[in-house]
Amino acid sequence: MRPLKALIAAIGATAAIATGVTVGSASASAAAETIRIGDINSYTRLPAHTVPYRQGAILAIEEINRSGGVLGRELELISHDDQGKPGEAVKVAERLFDRDKVVLISGSLFSHVGLALTAYAKQSQKLYIAAEPLADALVWAQGNRYTFRLRPSTYMQAAMLAAEAAKVGDAKRWATIAPNYAYGKDAVAAFQRVLTALRPDVEFVGSQWPALFKIDGGAEVEALKRLEPDAIYNVTFGSDLAKFAREGRLRGLFEGRLIVGLLTGEPEYIDPLKDEAPEGWLVTGYPWYDIGTPAHRAFLDAYQKRWNDYPRIGSVVGYNTMLAIKAMFDRAGSTDTEKMVDAMKGLSFEAPTGPITFRAIDHQSTMGAYVGWTKLRDGKGVMVDWKYLDGADYLPSDDEVRKLRSGG
Amino acid sequence: MADFIVSLLTGLSSAAAMFLVASGLSIIFGVTRIVNFAHGSFYMLGAYIGYTLVQTIGSTGIGFWTAVLIAAVAVGLIGVVMEILLLRRIYKAPELFQLIATFGVILVIQDVTLWVWGSEDLVGPQAPGLKGAVSILGKPIPEYDLALIAISPLVLVGLWALFKLTRWGTLVRAATQDRQMVAALGVNQRWLFTGVLFLGSALAGLGGAVQIPKGGADLLMDFNILAAAFVVVVVGGMGSILGAFWAALLFGILQTFGIQILPNSTLVLMFLVMAVVLIFRPWGLLGMPESLLQIPSGPPEQPLRPALPRVRALAGAACALLLVLPIVHLVFPEVVGTFTLVLVIEIMVFVLFAAALHFIMGPGGMVSFGHAAYFGGGAYAAALLVKFADAPFELAFWAAPLGGALLAFLFGWFCVRLSGVYFAMLTLAFAQIAWAFVFQDMPGSVLKTFGIADEFGTPLKITGGDDGLNDIWPSPWASTRISYYYITVGLSVAALWIMRRLLYAPFGYTLRAGRDSPLRAAAIGIDLTRHRWLAFAISGAFTGLAGALFLFSKGSIFPTTLEIARSFDALLMVMLGGVQSLFGPIFGAAALTWLNDLFSVLSYWRFLLGVTIIALVLLLPQGLAGFADTRPGRRLRLARPEETGA
């Protein structure tokens, strides 16, 4: 008898959870007055990046609702984990539209997840606002009517760094180190292209490609030293960056060399390094502690009050995404997908980081990035001498963009 | 020369943590025959616990090393808890079944770690007294690297002394050779196993703790080390500690020099080496031939019999339900929404995938750890045909089963010569090579070497790397949810039926004969290698079919469909459903896909899923399909009464 009882108990427990879940979503759908936004992100795979995103988004939603919502209704964010798998994300999107009756989807961090949702948005003719994925293809080769992206892309951020790097020093021999996957490859290719165009005299002497999050720090540093470069372009991030920075310092790799780091100044990546944060690197990042504009001040205060934590780059992207959605509703005056898409094209709004426009030509926003130099301050890495570069200035020409969009 | 020495030392130091983890895994496998997937999680726990301890007591040299040792012991105790509460209850289950229990443990540990330590990467503090670098031939090398280089030989000597000089060690060695004999001599195996789990887990914990000054602790460590640890153990020879030592050194050094010569090789190097070693030395460098290792397994499997009337009726009812579901959807859209159809499509894809894996795993006794290669490989074949030949859906679709079969045919030729865990690891190696092939877009790189590239000299995108291939949808007639639903259900049910027929035909009998008694099968003139090879290719074809259905339901394909995690998903489905029943994979895939969807709306869904898996493992050690053989199952006339056995 024992197995039967146990099995019945197990089935009972599962059924209870199932009912709970179903009832939970059913009762939510009873409140039909809210406008629902489906949020898909890798909450279990990379929580360090996606949780700040969600916190930023929730803060914006709460502020929007407090000031009257949109179209006379409240906004509601339905968050769902995609487990970092593109196939799962597509399934979740179907679930959100069918079961949760969302009117659009937003979010995602990984490029491949973003690209899968891009293809889905095109096929199902639903609006998808990509928040964080960086892949250039998302708005170019794979770009379509139903997909828009907020964060500055790989190309834009690499182009900003290359433009700044061209201005400083006279480094001729460049080496690169980047994680061995599409983002790393694209980031290196874009940097090489822009820097070579600005400084035809530079030479790229070699590239190292450690596996993502499996870097062998010591070995990569020794390999870079053998190339004897004047300057190094770093695309590693996360635990790879920590290992690379420590080994590089101990083994004297950085001495007398110009180091340029993509995303290295973002709090997500530089803060875990604490007092070992590299000094004197030229990086893109987010110096939330020093941005003095009133709009950013207000955002910073509200964020710290709501979450008792400081914002990361993900937070500001999440916040801006929801602001964009509000502006879009105000302009569209409807939750009809085609009207929303038309409203997204050329949509301008004010964000804590400055004015942003979603370009009609390729659906890329002009949100920019902060470029500056790393420095240790009170035992942690910060950015100094930084400036905000508008994304609009670091995109290829319209002709080129048109070619890229039709070429895919 | 100085560069060479420094690189060599760097390689030796990176071998240290690898050796510690691998030796623990090897010891556990050697004695208990458990493939412990949770080993990577123990490594991660060692890093997290070590980090916390180092933060509190590790400001001095003595404090630091004490913290490292305490972390190792703590992780060892966690291993003991797992053994007593979980593994001890399922030693009698079918071969390799324990690995799904340890898989459940992985999920639980992931969420517990996230909950306790938070999500931010923890960068480890440097070891006190070893913060700087020393100059060797004028080149700086971190002091801690030298400490690490000293640790592995110390541990190796310590283990040698433990196994050679103590009574406990003698018993462990005896149990590695012949468990039954040790039991017959009156040794209490339970405590022997518990002790072994402690030692093995503590070594994993030690590995995690000593690498803190080289890295730190993050939530992806468990899976990141797991595959590498298995590779080291297998190349060294399962159960051989000395083998693990040499293999770790080999990989440490190879890695260091490999990335200087071929910077792009970081993803495949280990797996390529493993494939080569296994092809020439099928039991690893210092391992024992599989035939000398007795694999304990549960009660002998019952011969295949036609299904009982009640079972047939249930299967028929399930098919009928699948057929009418879209009609219910049309009439009552609130009851059965579009998403329900989408979910059923997904379930059927994984049912087919799991059944195709089970085809060789159950009746064939070939446990593949790399079946995602044929799932994703097939899907890529179809996707490439659409992208570059503009093939219509109706044609491209069939490229997937064909591609899956061809790939399995190719890889299978090497694999089927091996058996047991070595077979599994070689399939894993090939899957990883296939994964790297699409992930790094090797066709694009090859074309570039022939001068074919875009205007900037960047390689052309063929497989698209991890940006994948997008926008691949069925023809308009097939792309509505309902028509695609019928395509999926129709093809997968037909495929299941064909596989079942094959297993009930002489082909299937021969396959099982080869599994149960290779010697006797060979003696009556069966070319076993060829038969297994053919079965492998057939399984590849059906797996590829599942890949095609997956591809056209999602509209895009990424290298993630070939990755290890996907292979393990399928393995988990088969195991959870029950290896010994042809219905097992169906139940397993359906249950797991459904549970995954059910729980994924909750924050700590991995914890829940892990606990559910562990509970199912404990309740039904024969898998879900094993329910039929329990007393209530027989009372419901799902199994023959005379097959009680007990």
Side-chain angles (χ1 to χ4, degrees):
Chain A
M1 275 314 275
R2 232 162 32 111
L4 181 61
K5 268 189 188 163
L7 195 78
I8 290 172
I11 292 172
T14 317
I17 294 172
T19 331
V21 171
T22 325
V23 169
S25 53
S27 67
S29 65
E33 290 78 27
T34 60
I35 295 180
R36 302 174 150 204
I37 297 161
D39 166 48
I40 303 173
N41 223 329
S42 307
Y43 291 115
T44 49
R45 187 73 193 279
L46 275 186
H49 300 247
T50 47
V51 171
Y53 170 85
R54 184 165 54 191
Q55 293 183 346
I58 289 174
L59 175 67
I61 295 265
E62 287 172 355
E63 288 180 358
I64 292 165
N65 286 341
R66 232 176 284 133
S67 62
V70 294
L71 310 178
R73 291 150 75 184
E74 292 207 332
L75 282 180
E76 187 183 351
L77 192 70
I78 314 270
S79 287
H80 209 302
D81 181 29
D82 63 29
Q83 306 177 17
K85 296 179 193 163
E88 183 72 19
V90 171
K91 193 181 85 183
V92 166
E94 304 236 31
R95 185 193 182 100
L96 286 166
F97 280 113
D98 182 53
R99 293 233 170 126
D100 298 311
K101 311 290 177 215
V102 302
V103 298
L104 63 94
I105 49 173
S106 67
S108 86
L109 173 73
F110 286 110
S111 286
H112 56 321
V113 172
L115 288 167
L117 290 176
T118 303
Y120 169 80
K122 181 183 174 195
Q123 174 77 359
S124 62
Q125 309 192 339
K126 305 277 192 197
L127 175 57
Y128 166 49
I129 300 175
E132 293 191 272
L134 290 170
D136 297 323
L138 202 123
V139 292
W140 293 342
Q142 308 292 338
N144 62 58
R145 173 169 163 80
Y146 298 93
T147 306
F148 295 80
R149 185 210 354 239
L150 180 76
R151 196 170 170 208
S153 65
T154 308
Y155 178 89
M156 292 159 76
Q157 303 213 28
M160 290 174 189
L161 271 184
E164 292 303 306
K167 289 181 203 161
V168 296
D170 50 357
K172 294 260 186 309
R173 293 170 58 83
W174 281 80
T176 65
I177 177 164
N180 199 347
Y181 76 116
Y183 163 66
K185 302 264 174 189
D186 288 350
V188 168
F191 185 82
Q192 286 182 342
R193 194 172 301 175
V194 178
L195 186 64
T196 321
L198 294 170
R199 290 273 301 272
D201 57 328
V202 302
E203 178 194 2
F204 283 88
V205 292
S207 303
Q208 289 303 126
W209 303 105
L212 179 64
F213 299 145
K214 291 182 195 167
I215 194 173
D216 187 341
E220 297 289 354
V221 166
E222 291 303 326
L224 281 174
K225 275 164 74 179
R226 286 194 153 198
L227 298 170
E228 295 175 350
D230 305 328
I232 297 169
Y233 173 56
N234 163 59
V235 190
T236 66
F237 58 92
S239 57
D240 288 344
L241 173 66
K243 290 174 189 164
F244 176 63
R246 177 171 291 172
E247 293 292 332
R249 183 172 57 80
L250 286 173
R251 292 167 188 265
L253 174 67
F254 306 139
E255 280 159 28
R257 292 194 170 106
L258 169 65
I259 315 290
V260 175
L262 194 65
L263 309 189
T264 311
E266 293 185 350
E268 278 92 332
Y269 303 123
I270 199 166
D271 288 356
L273 302 180
K274 297 189 193 125
D275 60 347
E276 285 183 68
E279 284 203 275
W281 287 22
L282 178 64
V283 298
T284 59
Y286 174 45
W288 57 273
Y289 30 80
D290 280 346
I291 302 173
T293 60
H296 191 270
R297 270 277 132 92
F299 162 72
L300 180 62
D301 290 344
Y303 190 91
Q304 287 184 312
K305 203 168 141 212
R306 176 67 176 85
W307 299 111
N308 200 19
D309 194 0
Y310 60 89
R312 318 293 202 276
I313 186 76
S315 317
V316 79
V317 172
Y319 189 82
N320 287 356
T321 306
M322 295 307 134
L323 291 189
I325 289 172
K326 177 190 187 300
M328 180 274 293
F329 279 126
D330 288 344
R331 193 174 179 202
S334 159
T335 57
D336 173 71
T337 299
E338 298 303 323
K339 287 193 179 128
M340 291 195 293
V341 169
D342 289 334
M344 281 301 293
K345 287 186 173 217
L347 179 78
S348 290
F349 65 102
E350 285 295 326
T353 48
I356 295 175
T357 303
F358 279 93
R359 294 161 28 119
I361 184 173
D362 61 0
H363 299 188
Q364 168 67 44
S365 98
T366 61
M367 181 177 167
Y370 299 88
V371 177
W373 297 84
T374 57
K375 191 177 189 313
L376 275 181
R377 193 162 76 191
D378 306 329
K380 56 180 285 206
V382 293
M383 283 169 71
V384 295
D385 298 331
W386 52 264
K387 52 189 167 185
Y388 177 76
L389 299 180
D390 193 340
D393 303 334
Y394 295 89
L395 281 156
S397 70
D398 285 2
D399 283 344
E400 221 172 307
V401 166
R402 266 184 221 106
K403 212 169 79 190
L404 284 166
R405 257 175 98 86
S406 64
Chain B
M1 188 60 197
D3 279 337
F4 177 81
I5 301 273
V6 168
S7 292
L8 189 69
L9 290 175
T10 305
L12 291 179
S13 79
S14 60
M18 189 64 73
F19 164 65
L20 295 177
V21 178
S23 63
L25 191 63
S26 201
I27 291 169
I28 292 177
F29 175 82
V31 178
T32 64
R33 291 287 177 276
I34 288 177
V35 177
N36 180 21
F37 274 17
H39 207 68
S41 306
F42 291 158
Y43 170 76
M44 179 171 80
L45 280 177
Y48 272 102
I49 294 173
Y51 178 87
T52 304
L53 288 170
V54 167
Q55 292 294 9
T56 40
I57 60 169
S59 52
T60 62
I62 296 171
F64 175 83
W65 292 106
T66 314
V68 167
L69 286 179
I70 297 176
V73 171
V75 174
L77 292 175
I78 294 169
V80 167
V81 170
M82 179 175 89
E83 202 273 340
I84 291 177
L85 292 185
L86 181 58
L87 299 180
R88 188 173 278 190
R89 292 155 202 276
I90 50 171
Y91 281 127
K92 291 219 168 88
E95 184 190 345
L96 290 177
F97 185 74
Q98 295 90 356
L99 75 82
I100 78 163
T102 62
F103 201 88
V105 173
I106 294 183
L107 295 173
V108 171
I109 290 182
Q110 273 178 338
D111 264 355
V112 169
T113 312
L114 172 63
W115 185 70
V116 174
W117 281 280
S119 59
E120 196 163 283
D121 291 352
L122 304 176
V123 175
Q126 290 194 272
L130 298 169
K131 288 191 178 179
V134 289
S135 177
I136 291 180
L137 301 174
K139 303 268 173 185
I141 184 151
E143 289 164 353
Y144 194 74
D145 279 36
L146 300 178
L148 278 180
I149 293 172
I151 285 176
S152 2
L154 276 179
V155 171
L156 184 67
V157 170
L159 288 175
W160 177 84
L162 182 66
F163 286 126
K164 293 279 176 183
L165 305 180
T166 67
R167 178 176 156 73
W168 185 80
T170 312
L171 291 178
V172 168
R173 278 189 295 131
T176 311
Q177 297 254 323
D178 192 333
R179 257 163 61 173
Q180 266 88 0
M181 184 61 82
V182 174
L185 290 172
V187 174
N188 187 344
Q189 290 214 13
R190 291 194 149 195
W191 289 109
L192 199 61
F193 282 19
T194 312
V196 163
L197 250 297
F198 174 79
L199 180 63
S201 312
L203 284 169
L206 185 63
V210 295
Q211 65 77 48
I212 290 174
K214 297 289 285 181
D218 62 77
L219 292 167
L220 301 174
M221 289 173 80
D222 50 352
F223 270 106
N224 283 349
I225 194 88
L226 189 61
F230 270 107
V231 170
V232 170
V233 170
V234 164
V235 168
M238 296 289 291
S240 163
I241 297 164
L242 197 61
F245 179 76
W246 289 120
L249 282 192
L250 173 75
F251 281 117
I253 294 168
L254 215 58
Q255 185 85 353
T256 309
F257 289 102
I259 61 171
Q260 292 183 3
I261 301 157
L262 287 170
N264 256 316
S265 65
T266 42
L267 300 178
V268 275
L269 194 63
M270 285 190 107
F271 294 94
L272 269 177
V273 172
M274 175 163 82
V276 172
V277 168
L278 284 185
I279 287 166
F280 291 102
R281 285 197 61 99
W283 305 288
L285 296 175
L286 296 176
M288 284 185 281
E290 185 86 349
S291 55
L292 297 181
L293 303 167
Q294 341 118 333
I295 306 270
S297 54
E301 225 181 291
Q302 302 289 344
L304 281 181
R305 304 256 193 94
L308 290 174
R310 176 79 55 106
V311 176
R312 281 175 190 230
L314 283 176
C319 288
L321 183 68
L322 284 175
L323 283 179
V324 298
L325 199 64
I327 300 166
V328 181
H329 163 64
L330 289 176
V331 185
F332 303 106
E334 322 79 53
V335 182
V336 176
T338 336
F339 182 69
T340 309
L341 299 186
V342 170
L343 193 58
V344 174
I345 291 175
E346 180 134 327
I347 287 176
M348 291 313 285
V349 167
F350 285 113
V351 163
L352 179 54
F353 185 9
L357 173 61
H358 177 262
F359 185 80
I360 54 163
M361 199 170 142
M366 296 181 271
V367 182
S368 166
F369 277 11
H371 237 51
Y374 317 109
F375 182 78
Y380 263 97
L384 287 170
L385 214 56
V386 171
K387 277 282 159 190
F388 293 96
D390 261 334
F393 159 71
E394 293 78 6
L395 179 71
F397 186 90
W398 298 107
L402 191 66
L406 285 177
L407 207 57
F409 202 66
L410 178 70
F411 292 167
W413 190 83
F414 298 98
C415 296
V416 295
R417 278 142 230 280
L418 274 54
S419 58
V421 176
Y422 296 99
F423 171 87
M425 291 309 292
L426 192 56
T427 55
L428 178 74
F430 278 120
Q432 202 62 8
I433 291 166
W435 171 79
F437 184 81
V438 293
F439 190 86
Q440 297 201 315
D441 204 344
M442 287 188 195
S445 312
V446 170
L447 285 179
K448 196 195 164 189
T449 57
F450 290 109
I452 305 172
D454 75 357
E455 52 190 305
F456 301 104
T458 328
L460 293 177
K461 296 210 165 175
I462 307 293
T463 68
D466 73 323
D467 280 353
L469 294 170
N470 287 277
D471 233 356
I472 295 151
W473 299 98
S475 299
W477 67 267
S479 63
T480 66
R481 294 291 190 304
I482 291 180
S483 52
Y484 200 74
Y485 174 92
Y486 277 119
I487 292 173
T488 309
V489 168
L491 284 176
S492 46
V493 170
L496 291 176
W497 184 78
I498 294 171
M499 278 192 274
R500 193 177 168 84
R501 286 307 301 259
L502 280 172
L503 292 176
Y504 276 95
F507 179 87
Y509 294 141
T510 317
L511 197 59
R512 281 182 291 130
R515 173 196 64 188
D516 292 339
S517 182
L519 273 182
R520 283 180 218 175
I524 57 169
I526 296 170
D527 186 344
L528 215 51
T529 310
R530 203 153 96 195
H531 205 77
R532 283 155 55 99
W533 188 25
L534 191 59
F536 198 78
I538 292 173
S539 167
F542 285 112
T543 312
L545 181 66
L549 290 169
F550 181 80
L551 164 70
F552 288 102
S553 74
K554 303 291 182 190
S556 49
I557 186 85
F558 300 90
T560 47
T561 43
L562 284 95
E563 70 187 9
I564 299 178
R566 179 75 67 182
S567 296
F568 284 180
D569 281 348
L571 204 60
L572 198 59
M573 289 166 183
V574 174
M575 294 278 191
L576 195 66
V579 177
Q580 299 193 347
S581 161
L582 296 192
F583 287 108
I586 302 178
F587 292 137
L592 211 60
T593 316
W594 179 69
L595 281 177
N596 190 10
D597 185 69
L598 187 69
F599 289 158
S600 66
V601 293
L602 309 165
S603 302
Y604 285 91
W605 63 265
R606 287 183 300 193
F607 181 81
L608 263 180
L609 188 62
V611 169
T612 310
I613 289 174
I614 292 172
L616 285 172
V617 166
L618 290 177
L619 287 174
L620 293 168
Q622 304 292 320
L624 292 176
F627 173 74
D629 257 336
T630 61
R631 210 181 292 174
R634 281 196 297 274
R635 193 169 300 159
L636 295 169
R637 273 181 278 150
L638 298 172
R640 289 179 178 77
E642 73 265 28
E643 287 171 19
T644 51

